[in-house]
Amino acid sequence: MKKVYVFLADGFEDVEALIPVDVWRRGGLDVTTVSIGDFPFASSAHGVNIEADIMFEQGDFSDADLIFLPGGMPGATNLFAHKGVCKAIVDQFAAGKKVAAICASPAVVLAPLGILEGKKATCYPGFESVLAENNATYTGNLFTVDGNVTTGEGPAAAFPFAYELLSQLVSKQTSDQIAEGMRYVHLMSN
C-alpha cells in the first residue's frame, strides 16, 4: 500500500486538505495526517480544528510515496517556516519521489526551496509572480503535473487534483471508480 503524508499547519485551507485525504483513503492509500505545530490539533483557515494522526516529531517520512502540502494562509507560510517540513520536502524531491502542493503552497513553499525550478506549475492566482521569480512556468490550470511534482490551483481544484494523484499512485481505473462513486463524474457531465 502506498504511503502518503499530509502536513497540516495552523491556517490550512479546509477543503484542500480534507478532500484529498478522503479521496485517497477511499482509493486505498495509507494516508497519515501530520500536525506540524505544538499540539495534535491544527486549526484551519476557517476555524475548523482537525486532530492529526501524528505529530511531526513522531514521523519518519523516508517511507513516503507522496508528501502533500495543502494551501491556505497563513497555513502555507507556517509550513515554510518549519525547518523539518522543508527538509522532508527537499529530501522527498531529491529521492525522485512524489511531492504535491496546492493553492499558495507551490509558491510559498516549493518555489523558494528550488523544487519548481525549470518546471511547469500552477498556484492560487496572485502568487504566479513568485513562480516566475523562481524559474518556474505558471500554467494557470486546475492542476499541473511535471515529473514527480503535482501542483494545484485552489479549493475548486481539490477534487481533480486528488483524483490525478490517486491515478498516479494506484491506477486511473481506481481513480475513475472513486470519482464515479463520489458522483464527481456525474457533476462534470452536467
Side-chain angles (χ1 to χ4, degrees):
M1 183 181 301
K2 300 283 179 139
K3 183 72 181 166
V4 178
Y5 291 99
V6 178
F7 291 150
L8 299 178
D10 283 342
F12 71 88
E13 170 56 48
D14 310 54
V15 300
E16 293 169 0
L18 299 178
I19 286 173
V21 168
D22 180 285
V23 166
W24 298 336
R25 285 183 176 171
R26 288 174 192 244
L29 296 176
D30 180 4
V31 180
T32 300
T33 56
V34 181
S35 171
I36 71 153
D38 295 331
F39 304 100
F41 287 91
S43 183
S44 78
H46 303 286
V48 177
N49 291 317
I50 300 295
E51 184 175 7
D53 298 316
I54 64 170
M55 300 289 292
F56 184 85
E57 296 74 23
Q58 296 173 289
D60 169 13
F61 308 109
S62 63
D63 65 341
D65 293 292
L66 168 67
I67 293 179
F68 168 55
L69 306 175
M73 292 297 278
T77 303
N78 290 335
L79 289 169
F80 186 64
H82 191 286
K83 288 182 174 49
V85 167
C86 292
K87 181 177 181 342
I89 292 291
V90 168
D91 290 351
Q92 178 83 357
F93 178 73
K97 298 195 291 183
K98 295 184 184 305
V99 172
I102 192 169
C103 192
S105 286
V108 174
V109 184
L110 298 187
L113 292 175
I115 289 171
L116 298 181
E117 187 170 342
K119 292 194 173 292
K120 293 179 182 170
T122 194
C123 63
Y124 195 79
F127 288 95
E128 57 269 37
S129 64
V130 178
L131 298 185
E133 291 164 12
N134 288 277
N135 196 28
T137 303
Y138 174 69
T139 66
N141 297 333
L142 277 178
F143 65 86
T144 301
V145 180
D146 191 336
N148 58 331
V149 179
T150 302
T151 52
E153 183 192 43
F159 275 110
F161 175 86
Y163 294 132
E164 168 59 31
L165 282 156
L166 185 59
S167 291
Q168 292 178 31
L169 291 166
V170 180
S171 71
K172 174 113 171 67
Q173 179 182 3
T174 297
S175 180
D176 289 349
Q177 288 171 345
I178 300 300
E180 175 61 35
M182 295 179 83
R183 305 310 293 146
Y184 180 79
V185 175
H186 177 72
L187 169 75
M188 297 311 294
S189 67
N190 286 334

